[in-house]
Amino acid sequence: MSRIQARFETLRRAGRKALIPYVTAGDPDPDTTVPLMHAMVEAGADIIELGVPFSDPMADGPVIQAACERALKHHVSLRRVLEMVAEFRRDNDEIPVLLMGYLNPIEAMGSAEFAAAAQQAGVDGVLTVDLPPEEAGELADELKGHGIDPIFLLSPTTTDARVARIAEQASGFLYYVSFKGVTGATRLDVDAVAEKVGHLKSIAALPIGVGFGIRDAESAARVSRAADAVIVGSALVRHIAESTGHPETIRDKVAEELRAMRAAMDATQPAAAVS
Amino acid sequence: MSTPTEAMAPPHFTDLPDANGHFGPYGGRFVAETLMEPIEELRQAYETLKQDPDFQAELDRDLHYYVGRPSPLYHAERWSNHLGGAQIYLKREDLNHTGAHKINNTVGQALLARHMGKTRIIGETGAGQHGVATATVAARLGLECVIYMGAEDMKRQSSNVYRMRLLGAEVVGVESGSKTLKDALNEAMRDWVTNVDNTFYIIGTVAGPHPYPAMVRDFQAVIGREARQQIQEQAGRLPDALIACVGGGSNAIGLFYPFLDDSEVALYGVEGGGDGIDTGRHAAPLCAGRPGVLHGNRTYLMEDNDGLITETHSISAGLDYPGVGPEHAWLKDSGRARYVAVTDSEALQGFHDLTRMEGIIPALESSHALAYATKLAPTMAPDQIIIVNLSGRGDKDIHTVAAHEGIEV
């Protein structure tokens, strides 16, 4: 069982939902990232999603685009991101780490070499935004062969037939993009999302995480009633942007935001809800 | 049942892409999940309309009465004699409405948008030619139009920005990344994923996710179909070589495609060599890049060792793009076409040569193809034939040329 699968199993038994914070690796500088990862774990993160900076982040809104640009000023490459994961793993062997990024840096390294290096570093899942399942065969096989979960997106436009096909290739969990748009937009319709997640669960057996548009403790809590995991990115990255150059302030603000989300999510779960 | 000979025969180049949009290892669909269903709807709509005689008739009427097709094939006798080799014919796409080949594609995609019931058109532009061609067809059909353009390019091509605004388009400056064409494409993709219900994205070149590379090629292939017929009428035979410039590669594939199965016709694509390939300051992914994935397809890219896309340089904004259409990547690997680069200064020489020798001011993009013709023609016999795609007119570039030569206009 992978770390991601084990984590969801533990949470399910405890009647809790996963909180998955996203930060772009190397934002605003490489030294900030690993201590920030530890701070997020302390504040209640269940899984850490680490963005791999890319020059052309087409699926991202302005907040994460700017994060990529800050990281790339320090030449934070995919290899450097793997070094960060390895460094995190020296002190934490429990919390899963998921990489989220675009295909080209992985292609430049080669699928096989990447999968081996990611396993070596202690990566547990890989979400490649611009790699739909139709094109993902080779990379998904390499990842699975190295004990890494390939994570796929579902969206409001994904047909039921596709959901079933994607669920067959995916492992770990499925990442539902809550609206048509880019990361960080403000279009979240919680009721519609809850209904959709219920429908997805009737098709796919994997846990469902919901991301894009979750901005505060209240929306995190409301989404967590329906979803197995809440993914929050731009709302955290905003704090990094505001406090560039002050790593301790960044850690404090991000941790404070996460603690509030964690508390609101835990408070909203029906007691001992084991489904 | 196929005979062994048929089974072993190589596939026709014109059979590609396959059902999933692949040209050999290139092409495909590399987009976020939200766009997968919309591009599948687009593919189905396009495949249906492509077979529909009424749609084809409508398109042909627009190409004739609105665009001004067929464009002439002109024998540049004086220039040919001066170079002292092959006879050069120019396919005059510069004489189309809006002054370049771009309108062949935007007329087609706009008709498709209307048939699909979309009310809003978006597009990206580098030099502004595709933006103008898109704003033009949107005005004609009364559709809302938003054009994304890199902030740097808006400075370089301010008259085209004004032209688009005159036509009623909203021009949005893109401040992210290198602030050029690739960033405009990123931003258009972001708009599309957000407004996909009512919005049609008119991509300007043979790149992007399937079906765009095939669809844009099909709309541009009118160039090659006409040229193939015209050269046989004028010279009584097929040409020995075709030359076209390659940024994304839509004018080149439009000329090449109807000749792909004529193995005796050599194909040359000319990339923006900038300051020279060995300086690293260029826009020549086919000559000096390597395969990767960007903007929805696998193709040759300009990237660093970590897979990050690098900035390009060309005097011609229309060639200033780090990728290239996937069919060109396939034609390169298969050996069917050859890809070369000419430098900024060679292209400028081509610009001046044609202007002074034939009284035609070419676009800087097209000047790259002309510059290569000045190298190739003298190596060929006077009874041989080259067709050069004169993909656009140079009015938009006179300020760039003047500035480069220290002249105030």
Side-chain angles (χ1 to χ4, degrees), chain B residues 152-214:
Chain B
E152 276 302 315
D153 289 338
M154 283 178 76
K155 274 187 241 160
R156 291 198 279 190
Q157 302 285 344
S158 56
S159 63
N160 269 343
V161 174
Y162 183 56
R163 217 167 263 141
M164 287 183 268
R165 287 179 174 152
L166 283 174
L167 289 158
E170 180 190 348
V171 183
V172 179
V174 178
E175 296 282 353
S176 58
S178 58
K179 305 176 191 184
T180 60
L181 178 56
K182 80 176 177 71
D183 309 285
L185 234 147
N186 293 339
E187 207 55 36
M189 287 272 195
R190 291 178 187 123
D191 179 313
W192 195 30
V193 80
T194 305
N195 301 297
V196 70
D197 293 332
N198 72 343
T199 296
F200 191 104
Y201 180 15
I202 300 189
I203 293 183
T205 192
V206 283
H210 179 60
Y212 281 100

Side-chain angles (χ1 to χ4, degrees), chain B residues 16-17 23 206 212-221 253 257 327:
Chain B
L16 296 175
F23 301 87
V206 283
Y212 281 100
M215 178 171 72
V216 176
R217 173 200 69 197
D218 292 348
F219 286 135
Q220 292 293 359
I253 211 78
Y257 186 67
E327 192 163 9

Side-chain angles (χ1 to χ4, degrees), chain B residues 37-191:
Chain B
E37 196 55 30
I39 60 177
E40 179 55 22
E41 280 169 24
L42 171 63
R43 186 194 67 77
Q44 287 174 11
Y46 174 60
E47 293 294 332
T48 307
L49 284 172
K50 201 168 117 175
Q51 316 293 340
D52 179 350
D54 291 342
F55 178 80
Q56 285 302 334
E58 197 179 4
L59 178 60
D60 288 346
R61 268 198 309 276
D62 280 357
L63 289 175
H64 183 64
Y65 293 107
Y66 189 65
V67 176
R69 304 204 70 89
S71 68
L73 183 71
Y74 166 70
H75 184 190
E77 271 185 275
R78 183 160 178 252
W79 192 40
S80 303
N81 291 340
H82 172 78
L83 292 174
Q87 301 306 307
I88 299 173
Y89 288 75
L90 304 175
K91 182 59 176 162
R92 298 291 308 274
E93 293 299 301
D94 60 317
L95 294 177
N96 293 338
H97 180 38
T98 71
H101 71 291
K102 292 290 184 189
I103 190 106
N104 302 328
N105 168 50
T106 60
V107 159
Q109 288 199 51
L111 283 182
L112 185 55
R114 202 180 58 185
H115 277 270
M116 291 178 73
K118 304 290 185 184
T119 56
R120 182 171 176 269
I121 296 287
I122 59 170
E124 83 295 333
T125 198
Q129 290 306 98
H130 173 62
V132 168
T134 302
T136 297
V137 295
R140 175 164 177 256
L141 297 181
L143 300 171
E144 183 189 348
C145 181
V146 178
I147 301 293
Y148 292 93
M149 189 169 187
E152 276 302 315
D153 289 338
M154 283 178 76
K155 274 187 241 160
R156 291 198 279 190
Q157 302 285 344
S158 56
S159 63
N160 269 343
V161 174
Y162 183 56
R163 217 167 263 141
M164 287 183 268
R165 287 179 174 152
L166 283 174
L167 289 158
E170 180 190 348
V171 183
V172 179
V174 178
E175 296 282 353
S176 58
S178 58
K179 305 176 191 184
T180 60
L181 178 56
K182 80 176 177 71
D183 309 285
L185 234 147
N186 293 339
E187 207 55 36
M189 287 272 195
R190 291 178 187 123
D191 179 313

Side-chain angles (χ1 to χ4, degrees), chain A residues 54-58 60 65 69 77 104-105 107-108 129-130 132 134-135 153 155 157-158 162 180-182 187, chain B residues 22 28-30 32-34 36-37 176-177 182 186 190 193-194 197 290 292-293 295 298 303 306-307 309:
Chain A
F54 185 50
S55 49
D56 295 81
M58 277 168 290
D60 285 298
Q65 287 171 46
E69 287 185 15
S77 63
N104 203 50
E107 287 238 330
V129 182
D130 54 350
E134 285 83 349
E135 301 280 0
L153 298 172
S155 88
T157 59
T158 309
R162 274 184 70 79
K180 298 170 196 163
V182 293
R187 299 179 139 211
Chain B
H22 294 123
R29 293 176 161 176
F30 295 88
E33 177 58 26
T34 308
M36 286 302 285
E37 196 55 30
S176 58
K182 80 176 177 71
N186 293 339
R190 291 178 187 123
V193 80
T194 305
D197 293 332
R290 63 177 187 181
V293 171
H295 293 149
R298 181 177 282 120
E303 59 175 65
D306 294 315
I309 307 306

Side-chain angles (χ1 to χ4, degrees), chain A residues 148-164:
Chain A
I148 297 172
D149 291 316
I151 310 293
F152 287 97
L153 298 172
L154 303 176
S155 88
T157 59
T158 309
T159 60
D160 288 357
R162 274 184 70 79
V163 172

